[in-house]
Amino acid sequence: MIEIPRETAAFNESAAPADVVRRQYLAWARGDLAALRTTLADDVEWTEMAGFPLAGTYRTPKSVTSNVMERLAAEWQGWTAHDDTYVVDGENVVVLARYTAVHKTTGKPLAVRTAHHFVVRGGRIVRFEQFTDTALVRAAMTA
C-alpha cells in the first residue's frame, strides 16, 4: 500500500499514476466534472462492467462524464466511490473501494465493494475497468 498525498501543489501537478487516479476521485467527489476530464486521456477506454446499469465502454472524457458520472448523479442520491486502498505497479493502479448511495426511485440504499483498475500513461488515465457485485446494485434499483 502507498501513501497518497492529499491536496498539495506537488500532488495537484504530479503525473505519478496514483496521484492522477486520486485527483480523479477527488474531482468526482466535488462534482467537478471538468477537473475529472483533465485526468483522462483524449482516447480513454472507460469500461463499466457487464451487468452494471451503465455497462459499456466509453471512449472520450466527455463520453465518460456524460454516460457515467452524470447518469449516476441523476439516478442516485449521494453516489460516492470511496477509494480505500491503492495498489500500484508501474502504470497500473488498482483501487479497492466502496460505492454508497440511495436510489432516487426506490429509496433503497446501496453499499457495495468494488475494484477499479486504471492504466495511467503520460499523466492521464488511458484505461479504466470496473469490477463490482452488479446484483447488489440492481437489487437497490428494484422496487
Side-chain angles (χ1 to χ4, degrees), residues 57-70:
T57 299
Y58 306 98
R59 290 193 164 79
T60 66
K62 180 65 177 160
S63 180
V64 170
T65 56
S66 296
N67 291 298
V68 179
M69 289 72 181
E70 289 178 18

Side-chain angles (χ1 to χ4, degrees), residues 56-132:
T57 299
Y58 306 98
R59 290 193 164 79
T60 66
K62 180 65 177 160
S63 180
V64 170
T65 56
S66 296
N67 291 298
V68 179
M69 289 72 181
E70 289 178 18
R71 286 182 58 197
L72 288 170
E75 298 171 15
W76 297 85
Q77 179 66 39
W79 182 278
T80 304
H82 306 270
D83 54 329
D84 297 329
T85 304
Y86 285 61
V87 180
V88 180
D89 182 19
E91 65 185 13
N92 291 284
V93 180
V94 174
V95 180
L96 304 177
R98 299 169 285 121
Y99 293 141
T100 59
V102 175
H103 194 263
K104 289 182 178 179
T105 301
T106 67
K108 290 183 180 179
L110 173 71
V112 63
R113 295 292 292 161
T114 188
H116 295 156
H117 175 218
F118 296 88
V119 177
V120 180
R121 288 189 195 120
R124 297 286 182 263
I125 296 166
V126 298
R127 193 172 312 125
F128 166 88
E129 188 173 6
Q130 170 205 56
F131 303 89
T132 195

